[in-house]
C-alpha cells in the first residue's frame, strides 16, 4: 500500500509554461486528507518549493535543487551537499565558454543553475565530469550538481525519515532528472509528456499530460 | 475602466491556513486573458512571490516585503529600501526583549520579519518609531519596515510603470498592512474576512471570504 508520494514539479504538476494545474492541487489535497504523505522534489530553489508547500498545503518535506536541500515540516532547512565546487566551476567556465549564471543562484545552496549556448554543452559536460560534477537539463533549466546529488538520494531520505519500504512509495516525474528516483524499487508513474526513458521505467503511464495526469495516477494507485 | 489589479496574497488569495484558492487562480488567469494586468503585493519574501508569479502565471511585476522589493517581468529584482536599519534594530532588541528572527529573513532584503511575545509588542513598537521604523502584524507574521515602505508605495510604482491613472487601478486586500493602498484614490475591494478599517475603506465588500471573493470582485468590476 502506497503511504508516500514524491512528485516532481515542472512538467509534472504544471503545464509547458510552468502554470500549475489547479486540478492537480485539488487531487493532492484530497490524497493528503486520506492520510497519504506528499513530498515535492524540484530542481528549483528552496524558497520556491517552500512557497509551493505553504500555498498548495504539502504535508511532507519538500526538496529543492534536485534533492540537494530539504525544507522540513518543522521549518528547518537541511543542506545535504554544498555549492562550493559547482560555483567555482561556473566561475572558471564562464571565462572561456558561454556558460553563465542565472538569477535564482542567489537562493541556491547546494548546486548551481546556468544558461549556456548549445555549442558549448558537450565541452562543459566533459569538463564537469572530470571534476566529479554532473550537468543536465531538466526541461526548464540547466543544472550543475555534485555526484550523488539527485532525486533518488532525496527519496532515500524520505524512506528513512518515515521508516517506509520502497513498495510503500510512489514517485511521479516526467524527465531525465527524475530518472534517479525511477531506478529505485518504488512504484513509478508519469504523465503522457514524459521522456521515453521515464515512460519505459514507469509502472503506469497516464493518458493525460502536464499536471493533468495527477488525478488518473492517484486513482490508479488508489490514493483518492 | 480598470486596467490593473494589485492583490494581497495571505488571507486574500488564500484560506486561513494560507492554502491558495484554486478558484482564485482560475479567475486571475481568466482576467489576464481579457488583458487585465495583475500584480501581487505580499509581506512575504521575493523568491516566494516569484514562485507565485511563475506557477499561477501572474503577468505583472510582483512585490515582496510589503512593497519593498519588486520582481519584474524581465527577471530583474529592484530593491527600493534596505534592511540595514531593520536588522540592527532586531539585533539590539533581541538582547533585551523576546523579539526574535524568523527563518525567511535569510531571503529578506528590504525589511525584517520577526516573532515576539505579546507583552513586548508595545515597547518594541515605541522604540522602532523613535528610529523611523514601523512595526505591524500582517495577520500571518510580524514585520519591521522602513518608514514609507508599504503597499501604497508599490501601487505608485505600478501606476508610473504602466502610465495609468489611479481610477484605472483596483486593489484587493484584507488587513492592516493593505491600508496604505486603500488610502490611494484607486478602486478598492476586500473579502468578507477583511478587518473593519479595510472594509470601511472599500468600494466593494465581497460576500465571500478568504480567496473565494476573487470571482465576485472581478465580476463586480467587469474584469471577467
Amino acid at each position: 500500500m502506497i503511504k508516500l508520494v514524491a512528485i516532481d514539479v515542472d512538467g509534472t504538476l504544471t503545464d509547458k509554461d510552468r502554470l500549475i494545474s489547479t486540478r492537480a492541487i485539488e487531487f493532492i489535497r484530497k490524497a493528503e486528507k486520506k492520510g497519504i504523505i506528499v513530498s515535492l522534489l524540484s530542481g528549483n530553489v528552496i524558497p520556491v518549493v517552500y512557497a509551493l508547500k505553504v500555498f498548495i498545503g504539502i504535508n511532507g518535506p519538500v526538496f529543492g535543487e534536485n534533492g540537494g536541500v530539504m525544507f522540513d515540516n518543522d521549518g528547518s532547512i537541511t543542506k545535504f551537499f554544498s555549492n562550493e565546487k559547482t560555483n567555482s566551476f561556473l566561475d572558471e567556465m564562464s571565462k572561456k565558454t558561454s556558460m553563465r549564471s542565472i538569477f535564482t543562484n542567489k537562493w541556491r545552496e547546494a548546486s548551481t543553475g546556468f544558461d549556456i549556448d548549445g555549442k558549448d554543452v558537450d565541452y562543459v559536460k566533459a569538463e564537469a565530469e572530470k571534476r566529479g560534477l554532473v550537468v543536465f537539463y531538466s526541461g526548464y533549466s540547466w543544472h550543475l550538481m555534485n555526484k550523488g546529488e539527485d532525486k533518488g538520494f532525496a527519496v532515500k531520505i524520505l524512506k528513512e525519515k518515515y521508516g517506509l519500504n520502497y513498495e510503500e512509495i510512489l514517485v511521479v516525474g516526467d524527465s531525465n532528472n527524475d530518472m534517479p528516483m525511477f531506478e529505485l524499487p518504488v512504484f513509478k508513474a508519469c504523465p503522457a509528456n514524459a521522456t521515453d526513458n521515464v515512460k519505459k521505467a514507469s509502472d503506469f503511464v497516464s493518458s493525460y499530460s502536464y499536471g493533468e495526469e495527477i488525478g488518473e495516477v492517484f486513482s490508479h494507485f488508489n490514493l483518492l
Side-chain angles (χ1 to χ4, degrees), chain A:
Chain A
M1 209 181 73
I2 306 292
K3 292 187 177 162
L4 183 147
V5 189
I7 316 174
D8 166 51
V9 177
D10 287 331
T12 300
L13 287 182
T14 75
D15 73 7
K16 262 178 280 203
D17 300 322
R18 300 181 76 190
L19 298 187
I20 201 153
S21 159
T22 54
R23 277 171 296 273
I25 296 178
E26 297 294 349
F27 285 121
I28 287 173
R29 291 176 180 170
K30 210 168 160 188
E32 290 190 347
K33 276 196 187 123
K34 292 259 291 186
I36 305 295
I37 304 163
V38 177
S39 172
L40 300 181
L41 291 76
S42 169
N44 230 308
V45 295
I46 277 291
V48 167
V49 288
Y50 157 74
L52 290 170
K53 178 174 169 60
V54 168
F55 292 109
I56 298 179
I58 300 295
N59 64 2
V62 288
F63 292 78
E65 305 188 41
N66 293 296
V69 194
M70 175 179 75
F71 178 81
D72 207 345
N73 293 340
D74 62 0
S76 65
I77 295 173
T78 310
K79 204 175 128 173
F80 300 105
F81 293 84
S82 145
N83 57 4
E84 207 180 314
K85 277 176 76 184
T86 55
N87 281 347
S88 326
F89 182 73
L90 171 62
D91 278 354
E92 186 195 330
M93 286 296 132
S94 63
K95 281 168 198 145
K96 43 186 177 184
T97 72
S98 61
M99 192 180 184
R100 52 199 181 273
S101 189
I102 55 175
F103 83 91
T104 54
N105 279 339
K106 67 188 284 189
W107 303 310
R108 229 168 267 273
E109 303 186 31
S111 67
T112 303
F114 65 94
D115 271 338
I116 192 167
D117 297 346
K119 64 175 174 55
D120 293 330
V121 169
D122 286 345
Y123 173 72
V124 162
K125 269 191 178 170
E127 288 298 309
E129 201 170 331
K130 283 185 202 162
R131 290 156 174 89
L133 301 175
V134 180
V135 162
F136 66 84
Y137 186 66
S138 69
Y140 292 83
S141 61
W142 285 96
H143 299 266
L144 180 63
M145 314 292 299
N146 299 282
K147 206 160 270 177
E149 182 180 17
D150 59 43
K151 296 187 184 182
F153 171 85
V155 169
K156 285 179 200 155
I157 298 280
L158 288 169
K159 177 181 177 291
E160 290 308 309
K161 184 180 168 69
Y162 289 101
L164 301 174
N165 300 314
Y166 278 124
E167 60 271 27
E168 294 172 317
I169 298 174
L170 168 67
V171 303
V172 193
D174 72 325
S175 83
N176 292 335
N177 61 327
D178 297 312
M179 277 308 290
M181 58 181 188
F182 278 72
E183 284 155 5
L184 300 172
V186 294
F187 285 100
K188 301 131 191 176
C190 69
N193 57 291
T195 54
D196 286 343
N197 51 347
V198 167
K199 277 186 184 166
K200 212 174 149 186
S202 287
D203 300 298
F204 179 71
V205 178
S206 172
S207 52
Y208 297 92
S209 291
Y210 289 113
E212 300 310 315
E213 85 287 13
I214 294 296
E216 199 191 22
V217 167
F218 279 18
S219 163
H220 178 86
F221 287 97
N222 202 22
L223 308 181
L224 296 176

